[in-house]
Amino acid sequence: MIEIRNLYKRYHNHHGSDWVLRDINLTIPPGVNVGLLGRNGAGKSTLLRLIGGMDAPERGDVIRHSRVSWPIGLTGGFQGSMTGRQNVKFVARIHGGEAKVSEVIEKVQSFAEIGDAFDEPMNTYSSGMRARLAFGLSLAFNFDIYLSDEATAVGDRMFKEKAKKAFKDKIGEASLIMVSHQEGILKELCHAGIYLENGHATWFDDINDAIKIYHDATGGESKADKDTDDAPPPDLTPSDKDQAAKWLKEYRRQWRQQHTALKKARQLRLPAPEITARKTAMVTTRQHIDQLEAFLDSNPTPGGGNDTTNSPNTNQQEPPHS
Amino acid sequence: MAISSDTTHDQPQPGRPPWEVTRSVWSALFVREFLARLMADRLAWFWMIVEPIAFVAIMIAVRVVVLGHDAQIAGAEFVPWMITGLLGFFLFRENMQRPIGAIEANQGLFAYRQVKPVDTVLVRCYLEGMTRSVIFLLFIAVGALIQLDLLPDRPVMAMAGWMSLWALGIGAGLTLSALSALVPEISKLVRIVSLPLLILSNVIAPLHLLPHDLLVYLMYNPIVHGIEYMRVGFFPYYEPLPGTDITYLWYWALGLIALGLMLHLRFELRLKAK
């Protein structure tokens, strides 16, 4: 559990200073994954640093009742001229002396999967490789709360899956406080949300509410909004052929996405329920596709033989049945 | 050092005691600093030893060629007198200058809240003192082989002088590293001052040739006291500058160490944030 009481924070500089955070009062209960939302410069990283104890507030208190990780992010924590292994060793020594070092190295190596680059200087790494190492390093220690500052933003698909899985495995033992602009990952991993604006923080029990407020505040058409406009309604009764064709296209796109996700899940050897969940989703999509195709077949376009060439059976694989 | 600041509390938990945390931070930082120094460029370890040796050799050569060999120093041979002075002064100077870069170089490490700016300074000073001591021992060993009168006559006293200069350097390093985060120009100032200090510290030219009126003021410089004290430990018949007092140096050293630690405690966040 983390308690934040009457917290104020500002940074001093030569041009006077404004409050970055004003009078923040929050209690983050144990075992709840929290997503931090807000625009660039709203103070998300600052709040995360304060929670992590890297920085101290001007006024107020941060009370940590559990072991909190350092903010896992893209910057800091590593020395570029030293190899990944040396950097990992250093952090392992800080956190518990020589005895733990080999154990930590093993864990990090197996998570990061960067191969021989582990023994190369870190300034030769790509940002994705750094993210893998940073992530693996923090997971090698048993914290009660992990802090992530856009740690998954630069990783490839496989790494994101792996990171998500790692946190899902830790549910019950550890929780997560994450800053991210990727709504997908926020929705998937977080339960609650905190929205930061003008230095004030608002707590939402449901992350979806926080995302909604964030969208309302930032105005413009966000991608997620567009998706919901295009998305077919669940009851599936198209008014005309054009709409049916549009929905069909959307469902085929979804099916292809789900197909690659399933392949990835198999590659990563995710646990059985994960795989089954993905398969069921594919079956549902498949049913919708069949339904729409049937609708289009029953209302044939004069002289239009296009529908058969677009059928998923001809240009796509069958969904695997097993 | 693992002191939790007064506004942020870590609840007591089955964690490690503060001293243990501090110790593991120091040992980790030491290994890191040592490796970084060794791997800075190719043959870095070679230059670590050869650079001060070469510098001393050049200084001695210049001194002998320019001023002739007949500089008289009561009770000590000229070359060993100069070696002790140069090595003693470098010990102080390096401990004063290196920490200024230490905090900036290790900025990324403050992500781990166990690591405090003062840790990086202390570890760097320790490493610096250790390497300088090894170099000094090398000088003494080689000197003994080529019959240079460089074996200390009173080893304990010589060592006490060496340690005093080290402590003075650590004090200056602690204070200046904290101040340079508040006033960035300090690091430039320190570099400008270090050459005049070398001349004023009785290292190259014997100061006892100066008139007494002037010497009184030069004796306010604590470095001279340490170097003279150490030389008395080396050379049995050496006449130190009048007014040499190792206690005076220790007032400075302890004062600077206390001031430096206080500054680090007070401005810890400014040093981390920078």
Side-chain angles (χ1 to χ4, degrees):
Chain A
M1 187 166 82
I2 291 174
E3 283 175 67
I4 302 172
R5 284 192 205 139
N6 308 319
L7 177 134
Y8 284 80
K9 176 70 188 174
R10 68 175 162 194
Y11 290 109
H12 297 275
N13 54 30
H14 296 296
H15 332 287
S17 50
D18 202 9
W19 293 106
V20 181
L21 299 172
R22 279 174 243 234
D23 197 20
I24 309 259
N25 283 288
L26 291 168
T27 304
I28 300 174
V32 174
N33 289 352
V34 185
L36 264 173
L37 283 153
R39 293 177 205 208
N40 294 132
K44 303 185 293 293
S45 298
T46 303
L47 183 57
L48 210 64
R49 284 164 56 92
L50 288 169
I51 292 172
M54 273 176 77
D55 213 337
E58 233 81 7
R59 283 180 234 157
D61 297 288
V62 176
I63 302 169
R64 289 179 232 109
H65 294 280
S66 39
R67 289 155 51 94
V68 181
S69 84
W70 62 89
I72 315 155
L74 301 178
T75 48
F78 294 121
Q79 165 106 24
S81 64
M82 297 171 82
T83 68
R85 185 187 298 274
Q86 286 167 335
N87 274 297
V88 168
K89 272 188 181 176
F90 173 77
V91 179
R93 286 197 188 105
I94 288 182
H95 284 86
E98 209 62 42
K100 262 184 163 181
V101 172
S102 58
E103 185 194 327
V104 169
I105 284 181
E106 221 163 89
K107 280 188 189 167
V108 175
Q109 240 174 337
S110 71
F111 185 90
E113 287 180 350
I114 52 171
D116 293 338
F118 195 53
D119 288 308
E120 297 288 328
M122 286 206 53
N123 46 25
T124 64
Y125 286 20
S126 70
S127 53
M129 284 156 80
R130 283 177 85 95
R132 278 162 175 264
L133 196 80
F135 221 80
L137 182 54
S138 62
L139 286 173
F141 300 98
N142 290 320
F143 291 112
D144 297 322
I145 297 171
Y146 291 86
L147 307 178
S148 157
D149 191 352
E150 291 280 19
T152 54
V154 293
D156 56 21
R157 221 190 145 81
M158 201 171 135
F159 166 63
K160 278 179 194 163
E161 289 298 323
K162 209 170 175 180
K164 273 188 231 164
K165 180 183 175 288
F167 277 117
K168 283 185 175 159
D169 287 350
K170 284 202 182 264
I171 284 177
E173 299 162 34
S175 60
L176 172 68
I177 301 176
M178 72 187 298
V179 170
S180 182
H181 291 284
Q182 301 166 279
E183 283 151 27
I185 204 163
L186 282 174
K187 279 182 186 164
E188 201 165 335
L189 284 176
C190 299
H191 316 118
I194 295 170
Y195 176 64
L196 280 173
E197 193 181 29
N198 300 328
H200 296 287
T202 326
W203 172 270
F204 294 90
D205 281 333
D206 187 350
I207 183 76
N208 293 309
D209 296 340
I211 291 175
K212 200 167 164 294
I213 294 284
Y214 173 55
H215 282 177
D216 292 348
T218 43
E221 284 274 293
S222 80
K223 198 172 159 292
D225 286 338
K226 248 194 237 159
D227 280 354
T228 47
D229 287 347
D230 276 351
D235 54 331
L236 267 188
T237 38
S239 52
D240 57 75
K241 278 189 63 71
D242 280 352
Q243 199 177 24
K246 209 168 116 191
W247 288 355
L248 186 60
K249 218 167 132 194
E250 172 64 22
Y251 273 122
R252 282 182 185 152
R253 192 183 63 79
Q254 273 187 22
W255 190 85
R256 256 174 276 139
Q257 267 184 1
Q258 287 163 346
H259 185 65
T260 29
L262 179 69
K263 272 204 289 195
K264 272 278 138 55
R266 286 213 169 114
Q267 260 176 25
L268 291 169
R269 300 212 177 79
L270 295 189
E274 294 272 332
I275 302 225
T276 334
R278 262 154 236 217
K279 275 187 201 155
T280 357
M282 281 178 72
V283 170
T284 327
T285 318
R286 183 76 211 176
Q287 278 166 359
H288 291 325
I289 291 175
D290 289 345
Q291 214 177 321
L292 284 168
E293 273 177 54
F295 175 81
L296 284 173
D297 283 345
S298 62
N299 305 302
T301 327
N306 294 338
D307 290 343
T308 43
T309 50
N310 276 346
S311 140
N313 296 338
T314 50
N315 55 10
Q316 278 161 18
Q317 280 175 262
E318 263 302 312
H321 298 288
S322 53
Chain B
M1 278 178 277
I3 309 156
S4 72
S5 75
D6 32 358
T7 46
T8 319
H9 316 285
D10 282 305
Q11 289 294 304
Q13 46 182 288
R16 298 172 292 158
W19 167 237
E20 204 176 297
V21 176
T22 306
R23 221 181 43 201
S24 57
V25 167
W26 284 353
S27 71
L29 274 174
F30 178 74
V31 174
R32 183 191 179 90
E33 285 276 329
F34 192 59
L35 277 177
R37 193 77 69 78
L38 278 185
M39 301 198 316
D41 47 68
R42 57 193 177 145
L43 289 184
W45 59 270
F46 173 77
W47 288 114
M48 233 161 100
I49 294 168
V50 167
E51 197 218 309
I53 294 176
F55 199 90
V56 169
I58 290 168
M59 287 302 241
I60 290 170
V62 168
R63 180 70 176 75
V64 170
V65 170
V66 175
L67 295 173
H69 211 294
D70 47 280
Q72 287 298 312
I73 289 136
E77 274 189 56
F78 174 66
V79 171
W81 178 85
M82 208 161 150
I83 289 176
T84 48
L86 279 170
L87 289 177
F89 182 78
F90 288 159
L91 176 72
F92 166 78
R93 195 191 62 183
E94 291 303 304
N95 273 295
M96 172 176 74
Q97 282 183 350
R98 291 255 180 200
I100 295 175
I103 295 175
E104 214 175 309
N106 292 307
Q107 206 78 48
L109 300 184
F110 304 136
Y112 313 108
R113 60 177 170 277
Q114 292 89 339
V115 185
K116 311 262 172 186
V118 67
D119 293 329
T120 64
V121 170
L122 290 175
V123 166
R124 204 168 258 209
C125 285
Y126 175 72
L127 177 64
E128 202 52 53
M130 286 320 244
T131 42
R132 294 277 151 186
S133 300
V134 168
I135 289 164
F136 204 166
L137 289 176
L138 269 177
F139 263 92
I140 292 173
V142 173
L145 288 177
I146 60 173
Q147 310 245 303
L148 207 59
D149 185 23
L150 206 56
L151 275 176
D153 182 57
R154 277 162 280 189
V156 176
M157 196 173 173
M159 251 154 57
W162 183 252
M163 296 284 178
S164 312
L165 284 167
W166 191 358
L168 186 66
I170 292 173
L174 275 170
T175 308
L176 291 172
S177 62
L179 284 178
S180 73
L182 309 174
V183 189
E185 289 79 12
I186 292 255
S187 64
K188 291 194 187 75
L189 208 70
V190 169
R191 247 175 286 145
I192 294 168
V193 163
S194 79
L195 185 65
L197 265 184
L198 176 70
I199 295 162
L200 292 179
S201 297
N202 201 23
V203 174
I204 304 178
L207 289 184
H208 59 233
L209 303 176
L210 291 173
H212 184 264
D213 298 355
L214 201 59
L215 194 61
V216 172
Y217 294 106
L218 290 179
M219 291 309 278
Y220 281 111
N221 170 9
I223 310 165
V224 183
H225 296 264
I227 289 175
E228 289 299 280
Y229 187 81
M230 191 169 73
R231 281 176 177 154
V232 174
F234 269 89
F235 315 117
Y237 305 110
Y238 183 62
E239 283 289 326
L241 288 176
T244 298
D245 182 6
I246 197 73
T247 340
Y248 174 73
L249 180 151
W250 274 101
Y251 286 143
W252 269 91
L254 293 177
L256 282 172
I257 289 173
L259 178 65
L261 287 175
M262 286 194 296
L263 285 172
H264 269 274
L265 209 57
R266 170 67 184 79
F267 294 110
E268 189 197 320
L269 290 171
R270 294 271 290 271
L271 293 174
K272 274 185 179 180
K274 202 173 180 183

